Amino acid sequence: MVNLSEILFWGNILSDLLNYIIGFLVSLIFGILSVGIGISIVSIAKNADVANGISLLYGMPVIFASGALVPFESSIVYFMSPYWAKQIYLQFTVMGHGLSDYLYSSSLIGYTAAETNIPILAGILILFAMTAFFIALGIKLFQKKTQL
């Protein structure tokens, strides 16, 4: 006979495993998004040194403005892709939230961060949309560069 504590134990293990799998998929989607941004940068650069400089000029401000390194309370974070990847990953893997829970405005959870009106599932869809946009933009720019 199976007791209730065993069922709860295996249920928690499976729930945590699902959260880690979703966290991995969010990281994978963000990696693909970064490749799209990289293709776009390479397409407008004249050589490797210029591409390196442009990527630093783009990447560093975006990472700081997204609140990915240091919590940043501003509405500008919603336009930065690292915010979505970081916040979804944090709330899934560290906090154990589900798809229907709401995203927090920053990683200062419990201090000054408030819940947004955006469910985590909508955040994942926004990350997918950003990925599709940057991949399409990168492909279009690269096609223009190679046709010249």
Side-chain angles (χ1 to χ4, degrees):
M1 186 167 153
V2 178
N3 62 19
L4 184 60
S5 64
E6 285 182 30
I7 293 172
L8 292 175
F9 173 75
W10 289 109
N12 287 339
I13 297 265
L14 291 176
S15 175
D16 288 346
L17 183 62
L18 180 64
N19 284 351
Y20 292 139
I21 290 171
I22 291 173
F24 173 75
L25 292 176
V26 166
S27 299
L28 186 68
I29 292 166
F30 181 66
I32 294 169
L33 185 147
S34 299
V35 167
I37 293 171
I39 292 171
S40 300
I41 289 171
V42 164
S43 298
I44 61 173
K46 300 291 182 196
N47 58 34
D49 291 334
V50 173
N52 190 19
I54 292 172
S55 67
L56 285 174
L57 281 174
Y58 168 79
M60 295 308 289
V62 165
I63 286 181
F64 282 108
S66 71
L69 294 178
V70 178
F72 185 62
E73 297 288 332
S74 175
S75 57
I76 197 166
V77 299
Y78 301 118
F79 297 100
M80 308 293 169
S81 55
Y83 163 77
W84 297 102
K86 180 237 2 157
Q87 201 62 35
I88 294 166
Y89 186 83
L90 173 77
Q91 287 188 234
F92 259 110
T93 59
V94 176
M95 300 186 66
H97 289 175
L99 290 173
S100 61
D101 291 329
Y102 291 105
L103 286 168
Y104 287 105
S105 60
S106 79
S107 59
L108 288 174
I109 297 168
Y111 297 101
T112 61
E115 282 188 347
T116 62
N117 296 347
I118 305 166
I120 292 177
L121 181 59
I124 292 173
L125 294 176
I126 290 169
L127 196 61
F128 269 119
M130 286 180 158
T131 302
F133 171 75
F134 280 114
I135 289 291
L137 178 69
I139 290 171
K140 192 72 170 166
L141 289 174
F142 196 73
Q143 284 177 344
K144 280 186 175 182
K145 183 178 183 175
T146 56
Q147 289 176 356
L148 295 177

